[in-house]
Amino acid sequence: DEIELLVEKYGVTNIKIADEMFVLNRNHVLGICGEIVGRGDLGAQLNMWCYARVDTLKDQALLDQMRTAGIRWVGVGIESLSEHVRDGVGKNDFTAADIFKACERLRQADICLAANFMFGLPDDDEQSMQQTLDMAFEIMPEWCNFYATLAYPGTALYKRAVAEGWEL
């Protein structure tokens, strides 16, 4: 109802769903997308952006439904090509092959990829960072974010940095 109100009353068509776990619950996503699709051409008017994890992009039918509902962009936290580097920060729920498959599924659904990469994770070295950069060129996302790793207070990485005496 709120999305329909934004479109019909205010002319809003660009919507960013700022929930980084939006695609985590398949039934939740299908429910929202089904409501949008069920309202005629509402999805065709939308240019929505959401976030997803690589390991939540395995269902082509889900991605196709997201596209029909107006989701045109998906931001994906790839971080690093290196499984060793991702494992060091507890983000090794997927393989390098899974990254490439997820990107291909998004393309098959005609959804643009906004890829997020991190450099300088604790186990990163020049070789792993170069491999990540090379992968970015290979997958050719429509949008890239390259972040320098920062250890924010309260995070596990911050606690590790303090414990190991790293310069913050």
Side-chain angles (χ1 to χ4, degrees):
D1 290 344
E2 291 172 353
I3 292 171
E4 190 172 48
L5 175 73
L6 287 171
V7 172
E8 291 182 2
K9 186 172 182 179
Y10 300 104
V12 172
T13 57
N14 295 310
I15 297 172
K16 183 176 185 180
I17 300 169
D19 177 359
E20 293 189 7
M21 296 291 122
F22 177 71
V23 183
L24 191 60
N25 183 329
R26 182 182 191 277
N27 291 332
H28 177 70
V29 176
L30 286 174
I32 291 171
C33 291
E35 281 290 322
I36 292 170
V37 171
R39 296 173 191 233
D41 71 340
L42 181 60
Q45 299 175 62
L46 294 170
N47 179 37
M48 292 199 297
W49 172 297
C50 73
Y51 294 98
R53 294 167 41 117
V54 168
D55 58 344
T56 64
L57 299 174
K58 296 179 179 178
D59 184 341
Q60 191 67 48
L62 175 66
L63 295 175
D64 292 341
Q65 180 76 338
M66 288 167 55
R67 177 61 169 88
T68 302
I71 295 175
R72 308 284 187 254
W73 293 85
V74 173
V76 181
I78 295 172
E79 321 307 7
S80 173
L81 177 64
S82 168
E83 292 175 34
H84 173 70
V85 170
R86 288 193 319 275
D87 188 49
V89 290
K91 290 196 151 214
N92 201 16
D93 299 336
F94 51 88
T95 66
D98 292 333
I99 294 170
F100 290 98
K101 288 176 188 172
C103 296
E104 180 56 32
R105 285 187 197 101
L106 287 170
R107 287 205 168 77
Q108 288 174 359
D110 194 27
I111 296 174
C112 297
L113 168 63
N116 297 299
F117 303 98
M118 293 181 72
F119 292 105
L121 290 164
D123 294 320
D124 248 342
D125 58 24
E126 190 172 336
Q127 180 182 1
S128 65
M129 289 186 283
Q130 184 63 54
Q131 289 170 338
T132 297
L133 182 61
D134 292 344
M135 176 195 46
F137 282 106
E138 187 173 345
I139 64 173
M140 290 300 291
E142 285 76 15
W143 183 280
C144 276
N145 290 305
F146 296 101
Y147 298 103
T149 301
L150 296 173
Y152 289 108
T155 64
L157 183 57
Y158 182 85
K159 292 172 186 168
R160 180 177 171 191
V162 170
E164 297 189 23
W166 298 347
E167 185 178 338
L168 297 172

